[in-house]
């Protein structure tokens, strides 16, 4: 998304970040030049530079505003939408900057919402106000630039230039080296259980600007609005806040260092951590010792029912599993396939009341995003089988939409099916699913004709 256009809006954004005065961030010498940042000096692990001045740098704040507007998102407890944020900043910038630099800025409570998980159940998300999201984004941009280079090379989640695909490929490389067992540790409600005092102690090791420490603590303790009541937050970093991923990486960096100290090969993506060993017995030892470390040292809870020591082929990691053998292949996990089929079944439902072309358009939009992620699987038959199943779902929907024998005969003939074959299948009493597999329906709605209507082919798209 782009920021709202128009001269008035553009001028308003420019005025919102004009900085006057000295002793804080240097004013811009000429229009279009970026404010000079204070030189940072490091003593030990902590940075003693005035970070709030860098966070309030006009260029940094503009980038934060653009990112918040691009991400969109629902309004928080105050009801302010993303579209209203630029105008609000233009009217209140001087006051907001003064609060940030003096350490008196007070975040609002976070609105709690629940969304369904792909594998079932509900996930709790926190929605800060758009103003708080803007402040958090500005903090994130400064801290992430400083902290990210210090994180483990085995960590892939929520980090610049790293993604889930790289994590899966790295796991595949480790398994190919002979580590045929995985210690799959599941942290129960990780984002809701982060201990605030331990987290702030870790932050204080890297940051000495007391204003920033106070502000981060204020965000952690802002409270949760749920069922009309605001309750205090004594632990956790709510999912949905821009700072939460960075803070979670800081917490779990302690786990990364412990695993590195033990020389254990592992891959971590956010709170999803897989440790690889050469035997089941070694895996059981690692499971016990690492679980004890997480419980006693990090004060996190391991979900015993979802954690396991198993073959990589029998576990999923970021939606993938790995085949057995000396050259393991990336496979789409069984759970991911179940979720996919469920969603496609919803999109191609017979009683949706929409035409076939519109149905294909909505389906293709979902398929494009799905295959962009799962298209790196190396068992092409998985994609090929799904393509065939999708086409059959669409033929089934079309057969149902044609309603009766007369309409079905007419539609079959219009699509090039011979009169004899059209008459034979149009009068059949069998249901839509078996009829979708007949030669006549495959001819009437051929692969090519479905593609001409906009249907995306998973196998072809993944090779593009």
């Amino acid at each position: 998304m782009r920021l709202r256009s128009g001269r008035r809006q553009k001028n308003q954004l420019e005025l919102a970040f004009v900085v006057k005065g000295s002793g804080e961030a240097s004013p811009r010498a000429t229009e279009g030049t970026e404010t000079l940042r204070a030189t940072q000096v490091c003593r030990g692990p902590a940075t003693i530079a005035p970070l709030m001045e860098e966070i309030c740098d006009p260029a940094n704040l503009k980038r934060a505003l653009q990112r918040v507007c691009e991400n969109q998102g629902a309004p928080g407890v105050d009801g302010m939408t993303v579209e209203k944020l630029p105008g609000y900043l233009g009217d209140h910038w001087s006051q907001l900057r003064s609060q940030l630099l003096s350490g008196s800025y007070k975040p609002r409570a976070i609105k709690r919402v629940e969304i369904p998980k792909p594998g079932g159940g509900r996930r709790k998300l926190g929605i800060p106000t758009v103003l708080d999201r803007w402040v958090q984004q500005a903090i994130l941009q400064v801290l992430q630039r400083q902290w990210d280079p210090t994180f483990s090379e085995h960590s892939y989640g929520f980090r610049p230039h790293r993604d889930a695909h790289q994590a899966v490929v790295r796991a595949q490389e480790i398994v190919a080296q002979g580590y045929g067992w995985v210690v799959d540790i599941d942290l129960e409600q990780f984002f809701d259980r982060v201990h605030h005092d331990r987290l702030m102690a870790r932050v204080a090791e890297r940051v000495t600007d007391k204003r920033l420490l106070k502000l981060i603590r204020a965000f952690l303790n802002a409270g949760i609005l749920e069922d009309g009541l605001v309750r205090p937050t004594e632990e956790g970093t709510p999912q949905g806040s821009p700072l939460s991923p960075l803070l979670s990486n800081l917490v779990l960096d302690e786990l990364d260092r412990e695993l590195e100290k033990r020389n254990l090969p592992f891959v971590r993506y956010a709170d999803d951590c897989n440790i690889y060993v050469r035997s089941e017995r070694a895996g059981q030892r690692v499971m016990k010792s690492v679980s004890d470390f997480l419980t006693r040292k990090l004060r996190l809870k391991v979900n015993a029912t979802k954690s396991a020591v198993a073959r990589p082929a029998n576990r999923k990691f970021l939606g993938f599993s790995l085949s057995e053998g000396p050259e393991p292949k990336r496979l789409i996990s069984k759970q991911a396939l179940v979720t996919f089929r469920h969603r496609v079944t919803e999109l191609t439902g017979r009683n949706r009341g929409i035409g076939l072309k519109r149905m294909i358009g909505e389906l293709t939009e979902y398929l494009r995003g799905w295959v962009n992620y799962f298209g790196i699987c190396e068992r092409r038959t998985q994609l090929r089988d799904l393509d065939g199943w999708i086409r059959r779902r669409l033929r089934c929907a079309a057969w149902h939409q044609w309603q009766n024998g007369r309409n079905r005969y007419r539609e079959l003939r219009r699509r090039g099916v011979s009169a004899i074959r059209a008459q034979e299948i149009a009068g059949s009493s069998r249901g839509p699913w078996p009829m979708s597999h007949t030669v006549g329906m495959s001819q009437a709605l051929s692969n090519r004709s479905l593609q001409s209507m906009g249907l995306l082919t998973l196998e072809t798209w993944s090779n593009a």
Side-chain angles (χ1 to χ4, degrees):
M1 170 189 169
R2 296 180 179 176
L3 299 182
R4 289 183 295 173
S5 59
R7 185 178 301 276
R8 181 178 180 183
Q9 179 71 17
K10 181 177 179 181
N11 291 340
Q12 191 177 48
L13 292 179
E14 290 292 334
L15 291 173
F17 301 109
V18 173
V19 182
K20 297 181 180 180
S22 59
E24 298 168 342
S26 303
R28 291 178 291 180
T30 59
E31 184 178 359
T33 60
E34 188 171 322
T35 305
L36 298 176
R37 293 187 174 89
T39 303
Q40 296 184 11
V41 181
C42 294
R43 293 181 181 173
T47 300
I48 64 172
L51 286 177
M52 285 307 301
E53 277 72 21
E54 187 170 357
I55 290 167
C56 291
D57 183 289
N60 184 57
L61 293 173
K62 283 184 180 179
R63 288 194 297 272
L65 175 59
Q66 184 174 3
R67 188 61 182 269
V68 170
C69 290
E70 288 173 349
N71 291 340
Q72 283 292 291
V77 296
D78 62 353
M80 184 190 296
T81 63
V82 170
E83 289 76 17
K84 293 181 180 179
L85 179 60
Y88 182 87
L89 293 179
D91 294 336
H92 299 86
W93 165 238
S94 178
Q95 177 186 358
L96 289 169
R97 185 171 187 272
S98 176
Q99 291 175 357
L100 290 170
L101 293 175
S102 66
S104 61
Y105 181 86
K106 295 187 181 300
R108 300 288 298 272
I110 291 175
K111 183 167 68 174
R112 174 77 82 190
V113 297
E114 291 188 357
I115 62 172
K117 290 183 178 181
R122 309 284 292 180
R123 173 181 287 116
K124 291 184 177 181
L125 294 181
I127 303 178
T129 66
V130 293
L131 185 60
D132 287 343
R133 294 208 294 268
W134 170 67
V135 174
Q136 287 195 38
Q137 180 65 35
I139 296 172
L140 171 67
Q141 291 168 177
V142 172
L143 294 187
Q144 189 168 58
R145 186 170 61 247
Q146 296 180 357
W147 295 2
D148 190 76
T150 71
F151 289 153
S152 169
E153 64 178 17
H154 306 285
S155 166
Y156 291 85
F158 307 117
R159 298 183 60 186
H161 313 300
R162 287 175 169 248
D163 57 30
H165 285 173
Q166 294 171 329
V168 173
V169 170
R170 178 55 188 152
Q172 182 182 15
E173 293 170 351
I174 294 174
V175 173
Q177 294 169 9
Y179 294 89
W181 292 85
V182 58
V183 181
D184 186 356
I185 296 179
D186 183 89
L187 295 176
E188 186 173 314
Q189 296 180 329
F190 166 71
F191 285 92
D192 293 329
R193 293 184 181 274
V194 172
H195 193 273
H196 285 179
D197 290 341
R198 292 203 81 263
L199 171 57
M200 289 308 303
R202 295 302 305 276
V203 175
E205 292 174 359
R206 297 167 177 256
V207 172
T208 58
D209 190 322
K210 293 183 179 180
R211 297 166 299 176
L212 182 54
L213 292 173
K214 179 182 177 182
L215 182 56
I216 293 175
R217 170 72 81 165
F219 278 121
L220 293 175
N221 296 338
I224 297 287
L225 176 65
E226 193 170 17
D227 298 326
L229 298 174
V230 176
R231 61 175 179 83
T233 46
E234 299 176 352
E235 62 179 5
T237 59
Q239 294 186 71
S241 299
L243 266 179
S244 288
L246 180 65
L247 295 178
S248 68
N249 273 334
L250 182 62
V251 171
L252 291 175
D253 186 63
E254 207 166 343
L255 171 63
D256 298 342
R257 300 310 174 188
E258 178 67 18
L259 297 178
E260 288 174 351
K261 187 169 67 175
R262 301 184 188 186
N263 293 318
L264 291 169
F266 72 97
V267 180
R268 182 176 66 79
Y269 190 96
D271 59 333
D272 200 344
C273 183
N274 278 6
I275 307 167
Y276 296 91
V277 294
R278 295 185 184 273
S279 70
E280 184 178 11
R281 186 176 178 181
Q284 296 295 347
R285 288 198 305 266
V286 170
M287 173 67 79
K288 183 180 185 306
S289 62
V290 172
S291 296
D292 289 344
F293 173 82
L294 288 166
T295 302
R296 292 200 311 265
K297 187 72 180 292
L298 301 189
R299 301 190 186 183
L300 298 171
K301 185 175 182 180
V302 175
N303 190 328
T305 60
K306 293 185 177 180
S307 301
V309 177
R311 294 287 190 181
N314 297 326
R315 302 297 291 179
K316 69 178 179 69
F317 180 55
L318 303 176
F320 293 88
S321 58
L322 299 171
S323 66
E324 296 187 13
E327 296 183 1
K329 302 297 182 183
R330 298 186 297 270
L331 314 178
I332 305 170
S333 70
K334 294 178 181 178
Q335 297 92 326
L337 289 173
V338 169
T339 301
F340 173 81
R341 286 178 177 268
H342 178 73
R343 181 57 179 150
V344 171
T345 299
E346 289 180 338
L347 291 170
T348 57
R350 306 175 197 170
N351 299 315
R352 291 197 62 202
I354 61 175
L356 188 63
K357 191 163 186 179
R358 179 181 167 186
M359 182 180 291
I360 289 175
E362 294 180 4
L363 175 63
T364 293
E365 184 177 352
Y366 170 72
L367 295 180
R368 184 173 290 110
W370 188 89
V371 77
N372 280 340
Y373 183 78
F374 286 103
I376 67 166
C377 77
E378 295 178 308
R379 182 169 289 175
R380 312 311 294 175
T381 54
Q382 287 187 304
L383 297 179
R384 195 175 306 131
D385 291 345
L386 290 176
D387 279 329
W389 175 75
I390 290 168
R391 289 191 290 266
R392 189 172 176 186
R393 286 287 312 173
L394 291 171
R395 290 170 185 141
C396 179
W399 183 262
H400 181 77
Q401 289 175 5
W402 294 344
Q403 295 183 340
N404 56 54
R406 180 177 297 179
N407 287 338
R408 287 166 183 164
Y409 177 82
R410 182 171 61 249
E411 293 293 341
L412 290 167
R413 291 288 292 137
R414 189 167 67 87
R415 287 169 169 80
V417 180
S418 67
I420 295 177
R421 178 168 288 167
Q423 186 175 14
E424 177 184 342
I425 66 175
S428 174
S429 59
R430 291 191 297 169
W433 184 246
M435 294 307 299
S436 67
H437 199 49
T438 60
V439 175
M441 283 300 291
S442 296
Q443 182 182 350
L445 292 173
S446 65
N447 299 358
R448 181 175 295 180
S449 66
L450 289 173
Q451 289 177 28
S452 69
M453 297 172 70
L455 179 64
L456 179 146
T457 304
L458 299 178
E459 186 179 15
T460 302
W461 183 270
S462 64
N463 289 327

